[in-house]
Amino acid sequence: MKNIDSKTIDKLSKRVSNYLKDIKPNTYYWNGKMTWIETIKHRDTISRQIKKSSYGATEISKIMCWGGIRNFRDNGHLPVALMELKNNNLKYKTYSRISSFSKLFSFFKPEKYFILDSRVSLVLNSFFEEIDKPEYFIPFNQRSAQGKKVRKKLLNFRIHESMFDNIGIAYLHYNHLIIDLFKKINIPNNLPKCPEIIEMALFSMYKKL
């Protein structure tokens, strides 16, 4: 399967770079409980805890609480999901809950795996539509989206034209996209020089749609 082409990455990197010009380390992120730099440090702290011990119920609970997910009941599936991720072969039980599992993946290795939820999917799909690249549409299930506005807008995309057969395949490409964008962008304003910043920018950009 072909990767996202370099011209598209260049165009998207300029869009993200322009957005980041207005972001400072002490700018509040998402729900206003943490700043951008505090969010990065929070991920790093929990990631270090995971590396020191195991990826247990305590760590999962902290991550899901941070991510606003209250009904996660698939703790026992996480080891299987991590193995699938390592093998680049996500199964339905994993990718059907990609918003939840990608949060867990992102704390497991923050420098390699990133959160993909409905809002990030909406931002990316809106951009791909704007530049007439429907083959890159993220086939996110709008019924799982957060908020009526996001669900309604996700319905507008011609997902059948996407080169991704399912959200699991799209997620694997998405991780590479974040890394490619990070390599292209000069992170401004003394923000942490880490690829998570790119994911956070994409998430935040949905407010401007």
Side-chain angles (χ1 to χ4, degrees), residues 87-142:
N87 294 331
N88 293 315
N89 186 22
L90 300 182
K91 305 297 185 182
Y92 177 77
K93 185 170 182 178
T94 302
Y95 71 68
S96 64
R97 300 204 66 185
I98 198 62
S99 292
S100 297
F101 277 108
S102 65
K103 288 181 176 68
L104 296 173
F105 296 159
S106 75
F107 280 79
F108 179 63
K109 288 188 177 181
E111 75 285 356
K112 188 174 181 179
Y113 304 123
F114 310 97
I115 300 170
L116 178 62
D117 70 358
S118 57
R119 285 156 288 200
V120 175
S121 298
L122 176 58
V123 168
L124 288 174
N125 285 358
S126 297
F127 175 78
F128 295 144
E129 182 177 60
E130 180 182 325
I131 64 170
D132 195 25
K133 289 287 184 177
E135 64 267 31
Y136 298 145
F137 282 158
I138 306 295
F140 194 94
N141 185 350
Q142 68 275 1

Side-chain angles (χ1 to χ4, degrees), residues 29-30 34 39 42-43 62-68 107 115:
Y29 178 66
W30 184 28
M34 292 183 183
T39 299
H42 180 65
R43 285 197 196 185
K62 286 180 180 178
I63 293 165
M64 291 309 180
C65 182
W66 169 85
F107 280 79
I115 300 170

Side-chain angles (χ1 to χ4, degrees), residues 21-194:
K21 289 178 182 178
D22 295 326
I23 303 298
K24 305 294 189 298
N26 62 351
T27 299
Y28 279 104
Y29 178 66
W30 184 28
N31 57 11
K33 293 182 179 180
M34 292 183 183
T35 64
W36 279 60
I37 194 167
E38 287 171 343
T39 299
I40 293 295
K41 289 180 178 179
H42 180 65
R43 285 197 196 185
D44 182 66
T45 297
I46 294 181
S47 180
R48 289 175 185 272
Q49 292 173 359
I50 291 169
K51 289 180 173 67
K52 284 182 179 179
S53 55
S54 61
Y55 208 155
T58 299
E59 289 77 19
I60 293 173
S61 178
K62 286 180 180 178
I63 293 165
M64 291 309 180
C65 182
W66 169 85
I69 297 174
R70 302 284 185 260
N71 61 345
F72 187 76
R73 298 184 179 89
D74 290 326
N75 288 22
H77 183 66
L78 180 58
V80 175
L82 289 171
M83 184 58 66
E84 292 174 359
L85 183 64
K86 180 180 178 181
N87 294 331
N88 293 315
N89 186 22
L90 300 182
K91 305 297 185 182
Y92 177 77
K93 185 170 182 178
T94 302
Y95 71 68
S96 64
R97 300 204 66 185
I98 198 62
S99 292
S100 297
F101 277 108
S102 65
K103 288 181 176 68
L104 296 173
F105 296 159
S106 75
F107 280 79
F108 179 63
K109 288 188 177 181
E111 75 285 356
K112 188 174 181 179
Y113 304 123
F114 310 97
I115 300 170
L116 178 62
D117 70 358
S118 57
R119 285 156 288 200
V120 175
S121 298
L122 176 58
V123 168
L124 288 174
N125 285 358
S126 297
F127 175 78
F128 295 144
E129 182 177 60
E130 180 182 325
I131 64 170
D132 195 25
K133 289 287 184 177
E135 64 267 31
Y136 298 145
F137 282 158
I138 306 295
F140 194 94
N141 185 350
Q142 68 275 1
R143 289 174 295 181
S144 302
Q146 292 293 319
K148 291 182 180 179
K149 176 183 176 181
V150 177
R151 283 196 294 272
K152 183 177 180 180
K153 288 193 173 185
L154 281 174
L155 280 169
N156 294 330
F157 301 109
R158 307 179 304 279
I159 298 303
H160 62 276
E161 297 186 27
S162 174
M163 71 180 192
F164 305 122
D165 292 334
N166 58 60
I167 190 67
I169 295 172
Y171 177 70
L172 298 174
H173 280 75
Y174 165 74
N175 288 322
H176 289 292
L177 174 62
I178 295 295
I179 297 296
D180 288 340
L181 291 171
F182 176 65
K183 291 176 180 177
K184 289 276 185 181
I185 294 174
N186 182 23
I187 306 296
N189 305 330
N190 291 316
L191 287 163
K193 304 297 190 290
C194 58

